[in-house]
Amino acid sequence: MNKENISVLRTAGICIALIVIILATFFNAVMGDETPKSQTEISVILYHAGSDGWESMMEGMKQAEDDFAVNINYVILRESADGQEQLEMIQREIDNGAQGVIVAVCAYSEMYEGLERISNTAPVIAVESGVGDSMIPLFSADNYEMGRMLGEQILEDFQDRENLTVALVRENVNRDSVEQREQGFRDALAGKAKIISLGAAINGEIADAAAALHKESLLELTERTDVALRDTKNYGIGNTTSIVAALDKGNLEKLIFQNEFNMGYLAVEALLQDISGENKNTVKDMDYYCVSRKEVYETQYERLLFPIVE
């Protein structure tokens, strides 16, 4: 091989090498791996609300997980868990590395002091049910107004009925959200209807309507088969898929529910801002709605009532 050929080959090799370097640099700039962002670790501790009790809110949280650099660990308490057990779970999550927690408070009077103490060491945000007059931020609809709306809907549906009697499902639930809803409900019906217990209605006292103020008791109400309640119309507050199915089947007249998708998303966003020291989010009341059977499949409610959880 003469010197001319060797020179040509050398030149070609250099050109090929340069092309490879240029292409590699280009693809690395355009499509190369970015340095992965460090993820914030947070935990969500929820009281037990049935098998599908938190689907809408968790869908919102998972959307936030896609949008932000955050890894969320979900903990749902056992059905009989009390406030002390929830406090211990929250502390355990923080001890295991959670930089902040979101909590649906199961028993606010038991947990007030403990949550105040924990919030001094790690950011805490409450969802759906809060901690009374604590300074811990709460993402929830106006529970008093939801209760009042529930009472007003019953009055509207029975406006021609004299001596209206309403059976109220009352359980030993120590959540501030339920207490506030009951106050609004009673204020709406004051002087306009007689309120009795569900037990009294089951035992023979005639009730025109029955109402439940939270998702667990509402589902139980719609599934009751007591003969004494056969002609009683059911109303309540909640949004699980099982409750929506009861509405669709006619076992429930009207349903009031809050936008738990937004609740979950905004709570995660606010907690991340709190952890980073930004504190940009101002807590606002979540929207809430009232739907009947004929409205349940309207577009504006479908995403909120029929969540798709992967």
Side-chain angles (χ1 to χ4, degrees):
M1 183 177 293
N2 57 40
K3 291 183 178 180
E4 185 177 347
N5 289 338
I6 293 173
S7 178
V8 170
L9 289 174
R10 184 180 295 116
T11 301
I14 293 171
C15 290
I16 292 171
L18 287 172
I19 291 171
V20 169
I21 292 171
I22 291 170
L23 288 174
T25 302
F26 173 79
F27 281 108
N28 186 59
V30 176
M31 307 193 51
D33 294 332
E34 296 181 358
T35 303
K37 297 179 181 178
S38 59
Q39 287 195 318
T40 302
E41 298 285 334
I42 69 173
S43 292
V44 177
I45 299 96
L46 307 170
Y47 64 79
H48 186 274
S51 59
D52 56 357
W54 299 110
E55 285 189 354
S56 291
M57 190 167 72
M58 289 176 71
E59 185 186 6
M61 290 179 170
K62 289 176 181 179
Q63 182 63 55
E65 202 168 9
D66 290 340
D67 292 348
F68 306 115
V70 59
N71 182 55
I72 302 176
N73 181 45
Y74 298 92
V75 178
I76 298 179
L77 301 178
R78 61 192 179 92
E79 189 171 359
S80 59
D82 59 13
Q84 185 58 40
E85 186 171 336
Q86 189 169 34
L87 281 174
E88 291 171 359
M89 186 67 68
I90 293 168
Q91 189 61 59
R92 190 187 76 177
E93 290 298 303
I94 293 173
D95 292 343
N96 288 340
Q99 295 165 262
V101 295
I102 295 172
V103 55
V105 178
C106 72
Y108 78 95
S109 60
E110 293 178 46
M111 299 174 65
Y112 187 100
E113 292 183 3
L115 277 177
E116 288 278 295
R117 183 178 64 254
I118 290 171
S119 68
N120 290 326
T121 61
V124 177
I125 284 180
V127 289
E128 204 269 345
S129 291
V131 202
D133 60 359
S134 167
M135 295 300 291
I136 292 173
L138 170 64
F139 283 80
S140 173
D142 187 320
N143 286 292
Y144 176 88
E145 290 299 330
M146 282 199 293
R148 190 170 73 169
M149 175 183 278
L150 184 64
E152 290 172 347
Q153 290 297 319
I154 294 174
L155 292 176
E156 180 180 321
D157 289 354
F158 289 91
Q159 56 186 310
D160 296 327
R161 182 69 56 87
E162 295 182 0
N163 302 318
L164 176 64
T165 300
V166 180
L168 177 61
V169 181
R170 295 198 78 248
E171 298 174 340
N172 185 25
V173 177
N174 186 16
R175 298 204 288 267
D176 63 354
S177 58
V178 178
E179 290 185 2
Q180 292 159 15
R181 292 170 191 176
E182 180 170 345
Q183 187 60 57
F185 182 79
R186 288 184 178 277
D187 286 352
L189 295 183
K192 301 173 184 177
K194 178 183 178 183
I195 299 176
I196 64 173
S197 69
L198 183 66
I202 292 171
N203 290 326
E205 190 169 352
I206 297 175
D208 303 293
L213 301 174
H214 59 88
K215 56 186 76 174
E216 308 100 294
S217 62
L218 179 56
L219 180 59
E220 292 175 6
L221 176 62
T222 61
E223 292 177 342
R224 297 198 70 97
T225 57
D226 305 81
V227 174
L229 300 177
R230 183 173 51 198
D231 298 322
T232 302
K233 294 184 177 181
N234 296 325
Y235 296 78
I237 299 173
N239 67 325
T240 70
T241 52
S242 300
I243 289 172
V244 176
L247 179 66
D248 191 39
K249 292 177 182 177
N251 296 335
L252 183 61
E253 292 297 312
K254 286 183 179 176
L255 172 66
I256 292 174
F257 69 99
Q258 55 190 314
N259 189 336
E260 288 195 2
F261 178 93
N262 280 359
M263 184 192 300
Y265 186 96
L266 293 174
V268 172
E269 182 181 33
L271 184 62
L272 292 175
Q273 290 172 349
D274 201 353
I275 291 170
S276 67
E278 295 178 32
N279 292 315
K280 290 181 179 178
N281 250 24
T282 300
V283 178
K284 297 180 180 179
D285 288 341
M286 299 294 103
D287 294 331
Y288 59 96
Y289 315 88
C290 178
V291 294
S292 63
R293 183 181 185 185
K294 65 181 180 181
E295 299 165 330
V296 70
Y297 290 106
E298 290 185 8
T299 304
Q300 67 190 96
Y301 303 124
E302 279 189 330
R303 179 173 175 79
L304 300 175
L305 290 174
F306 301 98
I308 301 172
V309 181
E310 296 181 358

PDB file of all heavy atoms in Angstrom, residues 8 18 27 48 63 74 82 90 93 102 118 126 141 146 148 160 179 193 199 210 214-215 217 237 241-242 255:
ATOM      1  N   VAL A   8      -4.916   8.665   2.681  1.00  0.00           N
ATOM      2  CA  VAL A   8      -6.375   8.729   2.478  1.00  0.00           C
ATOM      3  C   VAL A   8      -7.105   7.994   3.596  1.00  0.00           C
ATOM      4  O   VAL A   8      -8.096   8.476   4.156  1.00  0.00           O
ATOM      5  CB  VAL A   8      -6.755   8.150   1.103  1.00  0.00           C
ATOM      6  CG1 VAL A   8      -8.270   7.983   0.990  1.00  0.00           C
ATOM      7  CG2 VAL A   8      -6.240   9.037  -0.008  1.00  0.00           C
ATOM      8  N   LEU A  18     -14.318  11.996  14.118  1.00  0.00           N
ATOM      9  CA  LEU A  18     -14.915  13.295  14.416  1.00  0.00           C
ATOM     10  C   LEU A  18     -16.432  13.246  14.338  1.00  0.00           C
ATOM     11  O   LEU A  18     -17.146  13.835  15.160  1.00  0.00           O
ATOM     12  CB  LEU A  18     -14.367  14.352  13.454  1.00  0.00           C
ATOM     13  CG  LEU A  18     -12.916  14.792  13.706  1.00  0.00           C
ATOM     14  CD1 LEU A  18     -12.435  15.690  12.572  1.00  0.00           C
ATOM     15  CD2 LEU A  18     -12.813  15.527  15.040  1.00  0.00           C
ATOM     16  N   PHE A  27     -26.341  13.771  20.717  1.00  0.00           N
ATOM     17  CA  PHE A  27     -27.365  12.930  21.341  1.00  0.00           C
ATOM     18  C   PHE A  27     -27.302  13.006  22.865  1.00  0.00           C
ATOM     19  O   PHE A  27     -28.322  12.912  23.542  1.00  0.00           O
ATOM     20  CB  PHE A  27     -27.228  11.473  20.879  1.00  0.00           C
ATOM     21  CG  PHE A  27     -27.802  11.247  19.513  1.00  0.00           C
ATOM     22  CD1 PHE A  27     -26.984  11.026  18.425  1.00  0.00           C
ATOM     23  CD2 PHE A  27     -29.176  11.265  19.313  1.00  0.00           C
ATOM     24  CE1 PHE A  27     -27.519  10.825  17.162  1.00  0.00           C
ATOM     25  CE2 PHE A  27     -29.727  11.061  18.055  1.00  0.00           C
ATOM     26  CZ  PHE A  27     -28.888  10.843  16.972  1.00  0.00           C
ATOM     27  N   HIS A  48     -59.217   4.177  58.517  1.00  0.00           N
ATOM     28  CA  HIS A  48     -59.907   3.180  57.694  1.00  0.00           C
ATOM     29  C   HIS A  48     -61.280   3.707  57.289  1.00  0.00           C
ATOM     30  O   HIS A  48     -62.066   4.130  58.121  1.00  0.00           O
ATOM     31  CB  HIS A  48     -60.062   1.875  58.479  1.00  0.00           C
ATOM     32  CG  HIS A  48     -60.637   0.753  57.668  1.00  0.00           C
ATOM     33  ND1 HIS A  48     -61.986   0.561  57.516  1.00  0.00           N
ATOM     34  CD2 HIS A  48     -60.034  -0.220  56.951  1.00  0.00           C
ATOM     35  CE1 HIS A  48     -62.197  -0.490  56.754  1.00  0.00           C
ATOM     36  NE2 HIS A  48     -61.033  -0.989  56.400  1.00  0.00           N
ATOM     37  N   GLN A  63     -51.343  11.740  41.040  1.00  0.00           N
ATOM     38  CA  GLN A  63     -51.079  12.730  39.999  1.00  0.00           C
ATOM     39  C   GLN A  63     -49.980  13.692  40.462  1.00  0.00           C
ATOM     40  O   GLN A  63     -49.088  14.049  39.686  1.00  0.00           O
ATOM     41  CB  GLN A  63     -52.352  13.509  39.676  1.00  0.00           C
ATOM     42  CG  GLN A  63     -52.183  14.542  38.570  1.00  0.00           C
ATOM     43  CD  GLN A  63     -51.816  13.914  37.242  1.00  0.00           C
ATOM     44  OE1 GLN A  63     -52.522  13.036  36.758  1.00  0.00           O
ATOM     45  NE2 GLN A  63     -50.702  14.336  36.661  1.00  0.00           N
ATOM     46  N   TYR A  74     -48.074   5.200  51.483  1.00  0.00           N
ATOM     47  CA  TYR A  74     -49.452   5.244  51.981  1.00  0.00           C
ATOM     48  C   TYR A  74     -49.636   4.243  53.119  1.00  0.00           C
ATOM     49  O   TYR A  74     -49.231   3.080  53.021  1.00  0.00           O
ATOM     50  CB  TYR A  74     -50.441   4.908  50.861  1.00  0.00           C
ATOM     51  CG  TYR A  74     -50.397   5.882  49.704  1.00  0.00           C
ATOM     52  CD1 TYR A  74     -49.579   5.654  48.606  1.00  0.00           C
ATOM     53  CD2 TYR A  74     -51.159   7.048  49.718  1.00  0.00           C
ATOM     54  CE1 TYR A  74     -49.539   6.545  47.543  1.00  0.00           C
ATOM     55  CE2 TYR A  74     -51.121   7.942  48.668  1.00  0.00           C
ATOM     56  CZ  TYR A  74     -50.311   7.684  47.576  1.00  0.00           C
ATOM     57  OH  TYR A  74     -50.264   8.574  46.537  1.00  0.00           O
ATOM     58  N   ASP A  82     -57.256   3.559  67.062  1.00  0.00           N
ATOM     59  CA  ASP A  82     -57.641   4.778  67.765  1.00  0.00           C
ATOM     60  C   ASP A  82     -56.617   5.873  67.517  1.00  0.00           C
ATOM     61  O   ASP A  82     -55.654   5.706  66.762  1.00  0.00           O
ATOM     62  CB  ASP A  82     -57.809   4.506  69.263  1.00  0.00           C
ATOM     63  CG  ASP A  82     -56.519   3.979  69.912  1.00  0.00           C
ATOM     64  OD1 ASP A  82     -55.440   4.050  69.281  1.00  0.00           O
ATOM     65  OD2 ASP A  82     -56.608   3.493  71.062  1.00  0.00           O
ATOM     66  N   ILE A  90     -47.701   7.790  62.781  1.00  0.00           N
ATOM     67  CA  ILE A  90     -47.117   9.012  62.226  1.00  0.00           C
ATOM     68  C   ILE A  90     -45.664   9.166  62.683  1.00  0.00           C
ATOM     69  O   ILE A  90     -44.773   9.443  61.875  1.00  0.00           O
ATOM     70  CB  ILE A  90     -47.947  10.239  62.660  1.00  0.00           C
ATOM     71  CG1 ILE A  90     -49.330  10.198  62.010  1.00  0.00           C
ATOM     72  CG2 ILE A  90     -47.233  11.539  62.289  1.00  0.00           C
ATOM     73  CD1 ILE A  90     -50.303  11.202  62.589  1.00  0.00           C
ATOM     74  N   GLU A  93     -43.373   6.711  60.898  1.00  0.00           N
ATOM     75  CA  GLU A  93     -43.051   7.108  59.525  1.00  0.00           C
ATOM     76  C   GLU A  93     -41.974   8.186  59.505  1.00  0.00           C
ATOM     77  O   GLU A  93     -41.066   8.152  58.670  1.00  0.00           O
ATOM     78  CB  GLU A  93     -44.317   7.606  58.813  1.00  0.00           C
ATOM     79  CG  GLU A  93     -45.330   6.517  58.512  1.00  0.00           C
ATOM     80  CD  GLU A  93     -44.770   5.453  57.580  1.00  0.00           C
ATOM     81  OE1 GLU A  93     -44.335   5.824  56.465  1.00  0.00           O
ATOM     82  OE2 GLU A  93     -44.743   4.270  57.971  1.00  0.00           O
ATOM     83  N   ILE A 102     -49.011  13.672  55.689  1.00  0.00           N
ATOM     84  CA  ILE A 102     -50.395  14.077  55.464  1.00  0.00           C
ATOM     85  C   ILE A 102     -51.263  13.090  56.234  1.00  0.00           C
ATOM     86  O   ILE A 102     -51.052  11.879  56.150  1.00  0.00           O
ATOM     87  CB  ILE A 102     -50.742  14.053  53.964  1.00  0.00           C
ATOM     88  CG1 ILE A 102     -49.921  15.105  53.221  1.00  0.00           C
ATOM     89  CG2 ILE A 102     -52.236  14.293  53.741  1.00  0.00           C
ATOM     90  CD1 ILE A 102     -50.052  15.027  51.709  1.00  0.00           C
ATOM     91  N   ILE A 118     -45.619  16.803  67.205  1.00  0.00           N
ATOM     92  CA  ILE A 118     -44.972  16.255  66.014  1.00  0.00           C
ATOM     93  C   ILE A 118     -44.752  17.336  64.961  1.00  0.00           C
ATOM     94  O   ILE A 118     -43.725  17.378  64.284  1.00  0.00           O
ATOM     95  CB  ILE A 118     -45.820  15.100  65.433  1.00  0.00           C
ATOM     96  CG1 ILE A 118     -45.761  13.885  66.367  1.00  0.00           C
ATOM     97  CG2 ILE A 118     -45.341  14.709  64.034  1.00  0.00           C
ATOM     98  CD1 ILE A 118     -46.717  12.771  66.002  1.00  0.00           C
ATOM     99  N   ALA A 126     -53.275  18.180  57.429  1.00  0.00           N
ATOM    100  CA  ALA A 126     -54.446  17.329  57.598  1.00  0.00           C
ATOM    101  C   ALA A 126     -55.339  17.404  56.365  1.00  0.00           C
ATOM    102  O   ALA A 126     -55.419  18.442  55.706  1.00  0.00           O
ATOM    103  CB  ALA A 126     -55.232  17.751  58.836  1.00  0.00           C
ATOM    104  N   ALA A 141     -63.476  20.384  52.429  1.00  0.00           N
ATOM    105  CA  ALA A 141     -64.611  21.267  52.164  1.00  0.00           C
ATOM    106  C   ALA A 141     -65.119  21.805  53.501  1.00  0.00           C
ATOM    107  O   ALA A 141     -64.726  21.337  54.579  1.00  0.00           O
ATOM    108  CB  ALA A 141     -65.707  20.510  51.438  1.00  0.00           C
ATOM    109  N   MET A 146     -71.606  21.552  54.320  1.00  0.00           N
ATOM    110  CA  MET A 146     -72.053  20.291  53.717  1.00  0.00           C
ATOM    111  C   MET A 146     -73.190  19.689  54.530  1.00  0.00           C
ATOM    112  O   MET A 146     -74.171  19.182  53.972  1.00  0.00           O
ATOM    113  CB  MET A 146     -70.888  19.303  53.608  1.00  0.00           C
ATOM    114  CG  MET A 146     -69.951  19.583  52.458  1.00  0.00           C
ATOM    115  SD  MET A 146     -68.934  18.151  51.994  1.00  0.00           S
ATOM    116  CE  MET A 146     -67.905  18.003  53.447  1.00  0.00           C
ATOM    117  N   ARG A 148     -75.278  21.323  56.446  1.00  0.00           N
ATOM    118  CA  ARG A 148     -76.459  22.161  56.256  1.00  0.00           C
ATOM    119  C   ARG A 148     -77.107  21.905  54.903  1.00  0.00           C
ATOM    120  O   ARG A 148     -78.337  21.832  54.794  1.00  0.00           O
ATOM    121  CB  ARG A 148     -76.081  23.641  56.380  1.00  0.00           C
ATOM    122  CG  ARG A 148     -77.306  24.552  56.423  1.00  0.00           C
ATOM    123  CD  ARG A 148     -76.947  25.956  56.793  1.00  0.00           C
ATOM    124  NE  ARG A 148     -76.262  26.662  55.699  1.00  0.00           N
ATOM    125  CZ  ARG A 148     -76.031  27.969  55.702  1.00  0.00           C
ATOM    126  NH1 ARG A 148     -76.374  28.698  56.746  1.00  0.00           N
ATOM    127  NH2 ARG A 148     -75.421  28.542  54.686  1.00  0.00           N
ATOM    128  N   ASP A 160     -93.702  19.242  51.018  1.00  0.00           N
ATOM    129  CA  ASP A 160     -95.148  19.128  51.197  1.00  0.00           C
ATOM    130  C   ASP A 160     -95.524  18.225  52.373  1.00  0.00           C
ATOM    131  O   ASP A 160     -96.708  18.010  52.636  1.00  0.00           O
ATOM    132  CB  ASP A 160     -95.794  18.587  49.916  1.00  0.00           C
ATOM    133  CG  ASP A 160     -95.618  19.533  48.743  1.00  0.00           C
ATOM    134  OD1 ASP A 160     -95.594  20.756  48.981  1.00  0.00           O
ATOM    135  OD2 ASP A 160     -95.485  19.062  47.594  1.00  0.00           O
ATOM    136  N   GLU A 179     -68.504  16.153  63.472  1.00  0.00           N
ATOM    137  CA  GLU A 179     -69.159  17.052  64.426  1.00  0.00           C
ATOM    138  C   GLU A 179     -69.675  18.313  63.739  1.00  0.00           C
ATOM    139  O   GLU A 179     -70.785  18.781  63.998  1.00  0.00           O
ATOM    140  CB  GLU A 179     -68.179  17.418  65.547  1.00  0.00           C
ATOM    141  CG  GLU A 179     -67.865  16.275  66.482  1.00  0.00           C
ATOM    142  CD  GLU A 179     -66.986  16.709  67.643  1.00  0.00           C
ATOM    143  OE1 GLU A 179     -66.671  17.917  67.726  1.00  0.00           O
ATOM    144  OE2 GLU A 179     -66.619  15.841  68.464  1.00  0.00           O
ATOM    145  N   ALA A 193     -88.186  19.935  61.254  1.00  0.00           N
ATOM    146  CA  ALA A 193     -88.291  18.479  61.213  1.00  0.00           C
ATOM    147  C   ALA A 193     -87.869  17.908  62.557  1.00  0.00           C
ATOM    148  O   ALA A 193     -87.082  18.511  63.300  1.00  0.00           O
ATOM    149  CB  ALA A 193     -87.401  17.911  60.101  1.00  0.00           C
ATOM    150  N   GLY A 199     -81.637   3.989  65.317  1.00  0.00           N
ATOM    151  CA  GLY A 199     -82.124   2.877  66.137  1.00  0.00           C
ATOM    152  C   GLY A 199     -83.605   2.995  66.432  1.00  0.00           C
ATOM    153  O   GLY A 199     -84.341   2.002  66.404  1.00  0.00           O
ATOM    154  N   ALA A 210     -83.639   9.129  56.142  1.00  0.00           N
ATOM    155  CA  ALA A 210     -82.515   8.775  57.011  1.00  0.00           C
ATOM    156  C   ALA A 210     -81.265   9.419  56.431  1.00  0.00           C
ATOM    157  O   ALA A 210     -81.093   9.495  55.210  1.00  0.00           O
ATOM    158  CB  ALA A 210     -82.349   7.266  57.095  1.00  0.00           C
ATOM    159  N   HIS A 214     -70.980  10.550  57.169  1.00  0.00           N
ATOM    160  CA  HIS A 214     -69.654  10.201  56.661  1.00  0.00           C
ATOM    161  C   HIS A 214     -69.750   8.910  55.857  1.00  0.00           C
ATOM    162  O   HIS A 214     -70.739   8.176  55.926  1.00  0.00           O
ATOM    163  CB  HIS A 214     -68.617  10.088  57.784  1.00  0.00           C
ATOM    164  CG  HIS A 214     -68.950   9.066  58.837  1.00  0.00           C
ATOM    165  ND1 HIS A 214     -68.586   7.745  58.737  1.00  0.00           N
ATOM    166  CD2 HIS A 214     -69.606   9.188  60.008  1.00  0.00           C
ATOM    167  CE1 HIS A 214     -68.996   7.094  59.805  1.00  0.00           C
ATOM    168  NE2 HIS A 214     -69.620   7.951  60.593  1.00  0.00           N
ATOM    169  N   LYS A 215     -68.717   8.657  55.072  1.00  0.00           N
ATOM    170  CA  LYS A 215     -68.787   7.605  54.055  1.00  0.00           C
ATOM    171  C   LYS A 215     -68.996   6.208  54.625  1.00  0.00           C
ATOM    172  O   LYS A 215     -69.734   5.411  54.038  1.00  0.00           O
ATOM    173  CB  LYS A 215     -67.544   7.655  53.161  1.00  0.00           C
ATOM    174  CG  LYS A 215     -66.227   7.557  53.890  1.00  0.00           C
ATOM    175  CD  LYS A 215     -65.029   7.767  52.947  1.00  0.00           C
ATOM    176  CE  LYS A 215     -64.843   9.219  52.579  1.00  0.00           C
ATOM    177  NZ  LYS A 215     -63.605   9.461  51.787  1.00  0.00           N
ATOM    178  N   SER A 217     -70.584   5.222  57.477  1.00  0.00           N
ATOM    179  CA  SER A 217     -71.955   5.004  57.944  1.00  0.00           C
ATOM    180  C   SER A 217     -72.958   5.112  56.808  1.00  0.00           C
ATOM    181  O   SER A 217     -74.009   4.461  56.826  1.00  0.00           O
ATOM    182  CB  SER A 217     -72.304   6.008  59.053  1.00  0.00           C
ATOM    183  OG  SER A 217     -72.237   7.328  58.578  1.00  0.00           O
ATOM    184  N   ILE A 237     -73.431  11.977  53.070  1.00  0.00           N
ATOM    185  CA  ILE A 237     -72.194  12.607  52.621  1.00  0.00           C
ATOM    186  C   ILE A 237     -71.147  11.514  52.441  1.00  0.00           C
ATOM    187  O   ILE A 237     -70.886  10.732  53.345  1.00  0.00           O
ATOM    188  CB  ILE A 237     -71.694  13.643  53.642  1.00  0.00           C
ATOM    189  CG1 ILE A 237     -72.732  14.752  53.834  1.00  0.00           C
ATOM    190  CG2 ILE A 237     -70.353  14.235  53.218  1.00  0.00           C
ATOM    191  CD1 ILE A 237     -72.405  15.736  54.945  1.00  0.00           C
ATOM    192  N   THR A 241     -66.882   4.475  45.551  1.00  0.00           N
ATOM    193  CA  THR A 241     -67.521   3.838  44.395  1.00  0.00           C
ATOM    194  C   THR A 241     -68.723   2.996  44.832  1.00  0.00           C
ATOM    195  O   THR A 241     -69.709   2.900  44.106  1.00  0.00           O
ATOM    196  CB  THR A 241     -66.511   2.963  43.626  1.00  0.00           C
ATOM    197  OG1 THR A 241     -65.862   2.055  44.542  1.00  0.00           O
ATOM    198  CG2 THR A 241     -65.455   3.824  42.964  1.00  0.00           C
ATOM    199  N   SER A 242     -68.646   2.399  46.014  1.00  0.00           N
ATOM    200  CA  SER A 242     -69.766   1.605  46.522  1.00  0.00           C
ATOM    201  C   SER A 242     -70.974   2.488  46.821  1.00  0.00           C
ATOM    202  O   SER A 242     -72.122   2.105  46.558  1.00  0.00           O
ATOM    203  CB  SER A 242     -69.348   0.854  47.791  1.00  0.00           C
ATOM    204  OG  SER A 242     -68.268  -0.013  47.541  1.00  0.00           O
ATOM    205  N   LEU A 255     -76.686  12.577  47.178  1.00  0.00           N
ATOM    206  CA  LEU A 255     -75.350  12.395  47.721  1.00  0.00           C
ATOM    207  C   LEU A 255     -74.606  13.725  47.695  1.00  0.00           C
ATOM    208  O   LEU A 255     -74.594  14.422  46.678  1.00  0.00           O
ATOM    209  CB  LEU A 255     -74.593  11.367  46.869  1.00  0.00           C
ATOM    210  CG  LEU A 255     -73.108  11.162  47.147  1.00  0.00           C
ATOM    211  CD1 LEU A 255     -72.918  10.549  48.524  1.00  0.00           C
ATOM    212  CD2 LEU A 255     -72.496  10.268  46.071  1.00  0.00           C
TER     213      LEU A 255
END
